[in-house]
Amino acid sequence: MERLIQANGQPHYGIFPAAPGEVNYRDFDFRSPMGRRLGALAKWRRFHQFQYFGLVSHELIGGCALGNLSLLGIGFVYLFHPPSGRMIERQFRLPLGFGSTFSQQPDSGICELRSGGNLLRLENSAQPREKRLLVELDDGTRIEAHFSEQQPAFQPMCICTPTAVNGWVYAQKVAGVRCQGTVQSALGDFDLARIDAFAHHDWSAGYMRPETFWNWACLSGEVAGTRVGLNLSCGVNETSFSENCYWLDGELLPVSGVHFQFNRDEPLQPWRIVSADGQVELDFRGHGLHREQLNLGFLASNFKQVFGCFQGTLRPPGRAPVVIDNLWGFVEDQYVKW
């Protein structure tokens, strides 16, 4: 589809075979819960967008996110070195998003944040279908990473769901793809192809619940010659349709609702994640985490992203089980008020 919002001001809902050309949120017929039509200022204030690029291998874990929260632009980047346990991380907050730009084209466009001598840049290309990450920090850290959804073929999860009484969320997820590029940092220099790194990607935007939470799990790697990716969530993107899925060699396999069991006060303690349909049964043990807290009253966040290893089993219907043994990935516990 060319645009997510239709001529009647309402989104296309469902799971799509490909991304819309544009998430044209300004054309949305945004109403109050009581049915009053809301104007351009309310559309701007309530529309939020974020993008995330993660990379995993046994030698290096990394994550970079950009967010447009209307009143605040945010960004973070971190690198974790599993053999030594060392980590570097940076956070950025820009009032009203000054110094940041965000494209509303999921497969074609640039989102970036500039702060002093620091640059976080995510670039998506439709032809060829690629996602690229560039990070340049004033301490000399540099990340150049990219992956292809074309060679070999990959089927992304593209979904739009109703949210609360008057909102919607479009989300696009990728996991289980090989990553190429280089990293230079205080942790060392790395060739991502040489260390057999995998990537995952999240592009999400819309009119999310004003106060919400979610748990999320993602892994990427190879099992017995098969590329495996996983994307599971609870709390968002599960009204009428669900983003829960995993990939085997780029083929998307849907999953029903999932339950996260974990200690919210001690996120590095073991997690257990199971699906109602029996396809997913995983244990996760954290090795480190990136944590952020913000409380401005009208805007608040309690965010914990944990990176570590998964063990367990995926049971695709009609196929042999896939045994997950120490595959690196992420889990997340997030509360946000915006």
Side-chain angles (χ1 to χ4, degrees), residues 20-337:
E22 181 183 2
V23 177
N24 54 320
Y25 75 94
R26 293 178 181 86
D27 297 326
F28 175 45
D29 183 8
F30 190 31
R31 304 288 184 103
S32 76
M34 301 306 292
R36 179 172 60 88
R37 181 172 278 113
L38 301 174
L41 181 61
K43 287 186 186 182
W44 167 80
R45 171 66 183 91
R46 286 289 310 281
F47 179 78
H48 303 310
Q49 176 179 350
F50 55 87
Q51 191 172 174
Y52 177 78
F53 191 116
L55 59 93
V56 292
S57 76
H58 290 290
E59 296 188 44
L60 188 69
I61 308 294
C64 179
L66 296 176
N68 170 19
L69 310 185
S70 65
L71 297 177
L72 190 68
I74 61 172
F76 70 75
V77 60
Y78 65 81
L79 291 168
F80 175 73
H81 185 235
S84 67
R86 292 185 299 146
M87 180 175 177
I88 57 176
E89 56 185 328
R90 297 285 292 275
Q91 302 175 23
F92 303 95
R93 294 172 181 169
L94 304 178
L96 298 177
F98 291 129
S100 65
T101 58
F102 285 86
S103 167
Q104 275 75 61
Q105 297 176 305
D107 272 351
S108 180
I110 293 172
C111 297
E112 71 174 27
L113 178 152
R114 293 179 180 271
S115 177
N118 304 287
L119 169 67
L120 310 181
R121 177 186 174 102
L122 287 156
E123 181 175 358
N124 304 334
S125 168
Q127 292 296 333
R129 283 172 52 203
E130 290 183 346
K131 304 289 191 291
R132 293 182 171 272
L133 168 69
L134 173 63
V135 173
E136 296 175 338
L137 301 182
D138 54 15
D139 64 1
T141 299
R142 182 179 177 87
I143 305 171
E144 290 185 84
H146 66 276
F147 66 84
S148 171
E149 297 174 60
Q150 210 163 293
Q151 297 293 335
F154 184 91
Q155 182 183 358
M157 165 58 74
C158 303
I159 182 173
C160 186
T161 60
T163 302
V165 67
N166 62 342
W168 51 267
V169 176
Y170 173 76
Q172 185 169 323
K173 306 294 183 80
V174 172
V177 290
R178 280 196 158 82
C179 186
Q180 300 181 39
T182 58
V183 174
Q184 294 91 41
S185 73
L187 303 179
D189 296 341
F190 301 88
D191 181 310
L192 297 177
R194 187 171 297 172
I195 65 174
D196 199 23
F198 279 73
H200 58 271
H201 186 266
D202 176 355
W203 196 104
S204 296
Y207 291 84
M208 305 165 189
R209 293 179 182 87
E211 188 171 10
T212 190
F213 93 99
W214 62 79
N215 294 130
W216 173 73
C218 179
L219 66 79
S220 294
E222 185 174 307
V223 176
T226 298
R227 289 174 289 111
V228 180
L230 176 88
N231 177 81
L232 303 174
S233 74
C234 176
V236 292
N237 302 335
E238 54 191 0
T239 306
S240 302
F241 311 95
S242 171
E243 71 171 62
N244 293 332
C245 64
Y246 57 97
W247 293 267
L248 300 179
D249 282 335
E251 178 189 358
L252 186 152
L253 300 170
V255 176
S256 70
V258 293
H259 178 53
F260 289 73
Q261 303 170 37
F262 66 102
N263 184 335
R264 179 156 281 151
D265 296 324
E266 299 289 342
L268 288 174
Q269 293 297 312
W271 294 51
R272 184 162 177 78
I273 304 160
V274 295
S275 66
D277 60 13
Q279 287 195 74
V280 177
E281 189 173 349
L282 294 171
D283 295 304
F284 173 87
R285 183 172 293 276
H287 289 244
L289 81 158
H290 173 77
R291 183 198 301 259
E292 295 186 25
Q293 284 193 337
L294 174 71
N295 192 354
L296 302 177
F298 61 91
L299 190 65
S301 174
N302 186 4
F303 173 69
K304 298 181 282 286
Q305 186 176 89
V306 188
F307 34 89
C309 290
F310 287 89
Q311 304 264 3
T313 306
L314 304 178
R315 297 183 177 89
R319 308 188 196 184
V322 178
V323 177
I324 304 299
D325 184 16
N326 276 327
L327 275 190
W328 282 89
F330 302 78
V331 296
E332 200 168 272
D333 184 34
Q334 163 81 309
Y335 161 80
V336 63
K337 174 178 156 183

Side-chain angles (χ1 to χ4, degrees), residues 1 3-13 24 27-29:
M1 91 195 61
R3 293 185 167 194
L4 182 70
I5 306 301
Q6 305 173 74
N8 64 1
Q10 297 303 310
H12 291 276
Y13 289 118
N24 54 320
D27 297 326
F28 175 45
D29 183 8

